[in-house]
Amino acid sequence: MSPVKKSTVTTWNDVMQLNYGVPEINLVSGKGLVVTDSEKKKYLDFLGGIATNILGHAHPAIVKAVSTQVAKLGHVSNFYSHPSGLALAKKLQEMTGDNTARVFFCNSGAEANEAALKLSRKTGKTRIVATTGAFHGRTMGALSLTGQESKRAPFRPLLKDIKHVPFGDIPAMYKAVSKKTAMVIVEPILGEAGVVTPPDGYLKQLRSLCDQHGVLLVFDCVQTGMGRTGNWFGYEHENVRPDVITLAKGIGGGLPLGAMITLGSKTPQFAPGEHGTTFGGNPIAAAAGLAAISVIEKNRLMAQAKSFEKRLKIKISAIRGVREVRGRGLLIGIALDGEYAKELAAQLAKNGFLVNAPNLETIRIAPALIVTKAQIDKFIVAFAKAMKEVTNG
């Protein structure tokens, strides 16, 4: 790993908050999955901006869409409509397969979840059930939903009436949910907790439970969405429909964009003046989103993601020290047999591969959907090599 120049460290300390610490790599350019740092060292980006750069860096379709749009019409606020926003909303509606779907655009996953939280108040109820380990954002409402105590503790008091139950535990959900509950919010796969998949049937049972008590079911698809798991949103394998979908990350093709989508005629809707955001669904980000969806469809990248999932699971599971490989499509968590994930991530970066250690025992990868078989195989070889280097095996 190339060390960050002293001047970069000094500049960071002089002008930036330290909430991220000081990054160890200073990236200056990228093309596809290849990124280059300020020392001209190249890496294969297997984190993808944390599942955001769905088509990698500088994809021609994104570059063309953004360049064309910014030359035609930039920011207009939400006092006015614009063609790319309407087209993207229509496309998202088609992707849900439900013509009752209605879209609210924002800029991030936290904002999308804040919108869902606010919408749940229109049920007349305030109680919410979320899951332990979940990550829904860092703004105060989204943080209240997040089930990670280390992120919550410094900022108490948070919103009241939110109960967290273990992810994947249906009996715990049955105890927590009642007719007084406004909404249940879950990730189809826990991303920040280490790419944890629930038991088969979990999402379908949640649907049944929420129907029983008249409760909104919200799927936070911020990490699982945009084809990353081999389906558009990440819950389709259970053949269920939520009442609300929240999206961000990959939807903008690398630009800031989020969305909250309501489904069903009985799901509450915002009335004029009840909610809004200045930049949400702006023409440039919407154009990028449309271009990303078009490429994913045209190149059948969701089917490819499923194929690469199988290859990664088979090959990496066979590497000594790997306890489990979990996830769907190209959202993969590699569980290790010890607490050395951060050291392993650093070694992989030294060897030219960018990954993430969301906890001490897990490596998370979320490469762009345009990743090639050759790049997948290079990663597998590099992972095995780094494992030996870190564990002296």
Side-chain angles (χ1 to χ4, degrees):
M1 175 166 48
S2 299
V4 174
K5 284 185 177 180
K6 186 176 180 180
S7 61
T8 301
V9 173
T10 301
T11 300
W12 183 280
N13 286 328
D14 285 347
V15 300
M16 299 289 284
Q17 290 275 336
L18 293 178
N19 51 304
Y20 303 117
V22 178
E24 295 185 351
I25 298 173
N26 183 28
L27 297 176
V28 297
S29 65
K31 183 70 173 177
L33 266 74
V34 179
V35 291
T36 305
D37 71 13
S38 55
E39 301 299 302
K40 299 184 179 179
K41 178 179 173 64
K42 295 186 183 298
Y43 307 82
L44 273 179
D45 180 7
F46 264 66
L47 184 56
I50 312 181
T52 297
N53 300 323
I54 204 78
L55 298 182
H57 301 268
H59 192 282
I62 301 291
V63 172
K64 180 180 179 181
V66 169
S67 300
T68 300
Q69 184 62 58
V70 76
K72 183 186 297 184
L73 182 68
H75 177 66
V76 299
S77 87
N78 285 296
F79 287 131
Y80 315 100
S81 65
H82 54 86
S84 58
L86 292 172
L88 180 58
K90 179 62 176 176
K91 189 63 184 178
L92 289 171
Q93 183 186 70
E94 292 172 2
M95 288 158 56
T96 68
D98 188 337
N99 62 13
T100 70
R102 297 292 183 269
V103 179
F104 166 77
F105 285 121
C106 52
N107 306 282
S108 68
E111 286 183 68
N113 288 325
E114 289 279 355
L117 172 58
K118 196 170 175 181
L119 191 73
S120 76
R121 294 295 178 91
K122 297 202 69 173
T123 65
K125 300 178 284 186
T126 61
R127 294 183 185 180
I128 294 170
V129 180
T131 62
T132 305
F135 181 79
H136 299 295
R138 296 178 187 266
T139 52
M140 290 301 281
L143 183 61
S144 300
L145 300 173
T146 291
Q148 299 182 23
E149 185 58 23
S150 62
K151 295 179 175 67
R152 293 160 55 86
F155 303 103
R156 294 183 183 279
L158 299 172
L159 293 183
K160 298 178 180 179
D161 292 339
I162 297 176
K163 182 176 180 60
H164 291 88
V165 301
F167 181 71
D169 188 336
I170 280 294
M173 276 287 181
Y174 269 86
K175 290 181 181 179
V177 176
S178 72
K179 293 187 182 300
K180 295 181 179 180
T181 304
M183 78 173 185
V184 171
I185 182 167
V186 297
E187 297 172 77
I189 298 172
L190 291 183
E192 295 298 314
V195 192
V196 180
T197 53
D200 289 342
Y202 177 66
L203 303 181
K204 186 172 289 188
Q205 289 174 294
L206 287 180
R207 177 71 277 173
S208 177
L209 175 61
C210 289
D211 287 343
Q212 179 182 338
H213 293 295
V215 174
L216 294 178
L217 178 60
V218 181
F219 286 161
D220 177 341
C221 302
V222 170
Q223 284 199 41
T224 61
M226 287 303 292
R228 176 155 296 284
T229 62
N231 292 297
W232 278 125
F233 302 108
Y235 60 79
E236 293 91 332
H237 63 284
E238 289 212 17
N239 195 30
V240 296
R241 188 194 73 174
D243 301 301
V244 179
I245 302 166
T246 58
L247 289 173
K249 294 192 181 291
I251 188 178
L255 274 70
L257 183 62
M260 181 198 71
I261 307 171
T262 59
L263 302 169
S265 59
K266 295 182 180 180
T267 301
Q269 304 285 318
F270 286 130
E274 287 186 338
H275 196 50
T277 174
T278 299
F279 292 101
N282 67 81
I284 299 166
L290 282 166
I293 292 169
S294 177
V295 172
I296 292 168
E297 289 183 323
K298 181 179 179 181
N299 295 337
R300 303 186 65 186
L301 295 183
M302 288 188 285
Q304 179 173 280
K306 290 181 179 179
S307 175
F308 286 156
E309 172 197 339
K310 294 178 182 178
R311 188 168 189 83
L312 284 162
K313 285 183 173 179
I314 291 170
K315 297 290 186 178
I316 293 180
S317 293
I319 296 172
R320 183 177 179 182
V322 173
R323 182 167 50 84
E324 179 187 17
V325 183
R326 55 192 181 232
R328 291 182 182 277
L330 288 171
L331 180 61
I332 296 292
I334 304 167
L336 309 174
D337 63 359
E339 296 184 345
Y340 53 88
K342 294 190 184 301
E343 292 84 356
L344 183 59
Q347 186 63 40
L348 279 162
K350 183 178 179 181
N351 296 348
F353 290 81
L354 301 183
V355 301
N356 165 249
N359 58 51
L360 295 177
E361 296 182 349
T362 309
I363 294 292
R364 172 177 52 175
I365 63 171
L369 300 189
I370 62 167
V371 65
T372 65
K373 179 177 177 293
Q375 290 170 331
I376 290 284
D377 288 342
K378 281 184 180 180
F379 172 76
I380 293 167
V381 171
F383 189 87
K385 178 176 182 286
M387 284 285 284
K388 289 182 180 179
E389 290 167 336
V390 169
T391 63
N392 298 313

